[in-house]
Amino acid sequence: MTDVTLIVNGETKTASVPPETTLLKMLREDLNYTGSKLGCDVGDCGACTVLVDGLAVNACLMLAGQAEGKEILTIEGLSTLEKYHPIQKAFEDVAALQCGFCGPGMIMTTKALIDQDEDVTRQNIKDALSGNLCRCTGYTKIIEGVIDAYQEITGKKLPEIKPRAA
Amino acid sequence: MIRRGKGVGCMWYPIGFTVLANPSAATVKVNEDGTATLLTGTVETGQGSLTVLAQIAAEELGVSTDDIHVVSADTDTTPMDTGAIASRTTYVTGNAIKLAAANAKQILFEVAAPLLEVQPNQLEAVDRKIQVQYFPQRCLPIADVALQAQFVMGRPPIGSASYNPPTVGMDPETGQGKPFSTYVYATQCAEVEVDDETGEVDVIYMSAAHDCGTAINPMLVEGQIEGGISMGIGFALQEEMLFDDKGLQLNPNLTNYIMPTSLDMPEIDVDIVENFDPTGPFGAKGVGEPTAVPTAAAICNAIFDAVGVRITSLPATAEKVLRAIKEKNDNDQKILPAAE
């Protein structure tokens, strides 16, 4: 067993876990942050996405020990009891999620993209979300939600693109 | 060389099977604060059915959707439901809920009628009020009527109802009959780019025109259609379960069972073709499964338009398309008679 200390959503948390424990397993089972979902467990679906020092990471592919002392942001760290995070509000307003299983991962990926503080195009958004699978929505409304959240948070406008179709 | 093509796919799809019993039931209870509780056995899997069902109950009772508290999918408390299957929830369960809400409303009308000095059939429920038709100033808040019904008249305003699309047996000789209650129709158009050197197909645009009866919640209908198109694109180009000769699946994970990502999604235009089905709740039919039906046909027609080959087994992977293009090119080559 190894003692691992993480700073999860601003709070310091320690747990004693076997060395092969993934960050996702530690968050969900030892620390009870069950917002991040276990989908495929091999890094294909993105449902487990969390931010580690600001970078979007598949928590199922990272060992808990590798995250020692790092700052972890999970979906639980976004909203308060009073208020949704603007990304969550934007997703809700456009009905971006259906069954919602991909939602925590999609929203954390979006957070990482918007936090980069760079100008974003529609293609950047599609690229960023390509590691998060969704079976229900066809991604269309999720992309709309990301655009709305980006414009709301940064105050910037997405560049207009010429449609590829004739 | 990248070649472009356009294709069309059309479909009809049945809603509410009638060859077997297909019942749904619901209970609507109007509470003394003017809200209502709806018990339904149907399952919400993210398609938004509980929102739509609450909208149906709210419309019938003349209250806001926010006023409806939905209790669902718990066989301890709710009626059994045939299921969230066959694109039947809005149509069959919606009809049951509309009938149940109408029964509860009838009790409210009978209680309110003497207070408003009219007959029950002269009343209507609008804007959280029970009011006299054409005389909206003669009204009572629905909460007051529910309170009166419960505590003065001793008639709690509860309505229960079930709906089963009339079961019609098949003719045993011919197998013919009327297997479904109603039908929806749709057309989707695809625009694709096909690389004739690699066989790779890229869907760049889809437009989808769907008839779903009355769209009770157009935003959810759009979400269903966009989701269906993504499933259709996967069906057309990527997704295939592979089995070995012992029947074991060779690709039982998302690493090699390839489903569409955000990068595979084209620009989508959704067109909801509204009409009114008199047998559905407020004219609604359904939209779930039909959305994925015509997509693959439209894409394969677009591939034919682009490179002139018919792909007859799905998915139309790059390998299959390239092989078909090569065969076509070989056949197109004129065979010159050998020199003597």
Side-chain angles (χ1 to χ4, degrees):
Chain A
M1 299 293 261
T2 327
D3 281 345
V4 178
T5 303
L6 309 173
I7 306 162
V8 186
N9 305 332
E11 290 177 38
T12 305
K13 301 267 178 179
T14 304
S16 186
V17 295
E20 71 276 15
T21 307
T22 62
L23 175 61
L24 179 67
K25 190 161 188 285
M26 175 169 167
L27 285 171
R28 286 181 58 84
E29 293 178 13
D30 297 286
L31 304 178
N32 278 331
Y33 289 98
T34 52
S36 313
K37 300 300 177 209
L38 174 69
C40 63
D41 212 10
V42 290
D44 284 324
C45 74
C48 61
T49 307
V50 298
L51 302 196
V52 177
D53 285 346
L55 284 177
V57 163
N58 282 333
C60 72
L61 290 186
M62 189 175 202
L63 292 175
Q66 291 176 295
E68 168 72 36
K70 295 206 159 101
E71 289 204 21
I72 317 289
L73 185 68
T74 71
I75 188 78
E76 288 93 343
L78 291 190
S79 62
T80 61
L81 276 179
E82 289 78 40
K83 194 158 152 272
Y84 275 162
H85 188 277
I87 300 172
Q88 293 169 310
K89 180 81 177 66
F91 271 48
E92 190 193 28
D93 285 347
V94 300
L97 301 176
Q98 290 186 25
C99 86
F101 192 85
C102 70
M106 289 282 183
I107 288 168
M108 297 318 289
T109 302
T110 306
K111 173 103 172 69
L113 177 75
I114 293 175
D115 284 354
Q116 279 177 5
D117 201 25
E118 283 171 18
D119 284 352
V120 162
T121 65
R122 204 181 172 87
Q123 189 59 40
N124 295 148
I125 293 173
K126 284 182 148 191
D127 286 339
L129 294 178
S130 65
N132 293 79
L133 296 180
C134 171
R135 186 82 271 192
C136 307
T137 62
Y139 307 99
T140 312
K141 289 201 184 303
I142 294 177
I143 294 167
E144 266 177 53
V146 177
I147 292 171
D148 288 357
Y150 170 75
Q151 296 184 346
E152 163 81 25
I153 293 169
T154 63
K156 294 178 195 165
K157 276 262 174 267
L158 213 68
E160 288 288 320
I161 47 154
K162 219 175 88 208
R164 287 170 72 199
Chain B
M1 190 178 152
I2 304 283
R3 296 178 184 274
R4 279 199 179 187
K6 294 178 184 174
V8 179
C10 306
M11 68 109 222
W12 57 265
Y13 198 89
I15 304 283
F17 61 83
T18 55
V19 280
L20 299 165
N22 182 15
S24 278
T27 296
V28 173
K29 171 168 80 89
V30 182
N31 302 314
E32 294 77 41
D33 59 355
T35 65
T37 306
L38 164 63
L39 306 186
T40 169
T42 197
V43 181
E44 168 71 62
T45 54
Q47 72 277 48
S49 59
L50 295 188
T51 306
V52 167
L53 297 176
Q55 284 180 277
I56 290 171
E59 182 72 19
E60 186 66 26
L61 291 172
V63 298
S64 159
T65 307
D66 293 341
D67 296 339
I68 308 289
H69 175 60
V70 184
V71 180
S72 80
D74 178 351
T75 47
D76 276 352
T77 54
T78 63
M80 176 68 184
D81 194 272
T82 304
I85 52 158
S87 301
R88 65 184 283 287
T89 301
T90 301
Y91 183 78
V92 181
T93 312
N95 264 330
I97 286 167
K98 185 168 184 286
L99 291 170
N103 288 345
K105 187 171 74 172
Q106 184 59 31
I107 296 175
L108 294 176
F109 282 178
E110 285 168 14
V111 169
L115 302 173
L116 292 164
E117 298 170 337
V118 290
Q119 294 300 315
N121 60 10
Q122 293 171 288
L123 293 170
E124 62 185 353
V126 195
D127 297 339
R128 297 176 172 144
K129 293 190 295 266
I130 305 291
Q131 67 188 31
V132 182
Q133 283 167 29
Y134 313 116
F135 296 94
Q137 72 278 21
R138 293 174 65 188
C139 66
L140 287 167
I142 199 166
D144 292 2
V145 180
L147 196 70
Q148 180 85 4
Q150 173 77 32
F151 291 108
V152 180
M153 307 305 288
R155 293 189 67 196
I158 299 173
S160 290
S162 63
Y163 181 77
N164 179 44
T167 307
V168 186
M170 294 292 192
D171 185 312
E173 292 277 315
T174 62
Q176 292 183 329
K178 181 181 180 294
F180 293 94
S181 254
T182 187
Y183 297 84
V184 296
Y185 307 88
T187 296
Q188 292 184 0
C189 303
E191 186 167 357
V192 301
E193 283 182 351
V194 185
D195 186 331
D196 64 3
E197 288 161 15
T198 65
E200 199 178 346
V201 179
D202 186 11
V203 182
I204 57 174
Y205 176 76
M206 292 283 314
S207 71
H210 279 256
D211 149 42
C212 58
T214 303
I216 288 179
N217 191 321
M219 187 161 74
L220 293 176
V221 173
E222 280 176 23
Q224 293 280 288
I225 294 173
E226 289 158 358
I229 287 175
S230 83
M231 294 172 208
I233 289 173
F235 179 46
L237 301 177
Q238 299 168 317
E239 295 178 35
E240 186 174 26
M241 285 194 200
L242 301 167
F243 297 94
D244 67 11
D245 53 5
K246 294 196 175 66
L248 284 175
Q249 195 185 345
L250 294 167
N251 56 348
N253 55 60
L254 296 166
T255 313
N256 42 24
Y257 179 91
I258 307 296
M259 58 173 272
T261 71
S262 52
L263 292 171
D264 298 306
M265 289 308 291
E267 187 191 336
I268 299 174
D269 273 337
V270 173
D271 184 14
I272 301 170
V273 185
E274 283 221 44
N275 63 47
F276 187 91
D277 187 305
T279 65
F282 301 104
K285 295 192 281 192
V287 75
E289 293 157 294
T291 56
V293 175
T295 315
I299 290 171
C300 286
N301 285 335
I303 293 172
F304 178 74
D305 187 37
V307 291
V309 297
R310 281 282 171 209
I311 306 297
T312 51
S313 78
L314 295 178
T317 54
E319 293 87 344
K320 269 188 209 167
V321 176
L322 186 63
R323 198 183 311 130
I325 292 171
K326 279 188 174 155
E327 273 170 26
K328 176 174 177 290
N329 288 346
D330 290 348
N331 289 339
D332 287 352
Q333 300 275 339
K334 285 222 173 85
I335 300 165
L336 298 173
E340 303 235 339

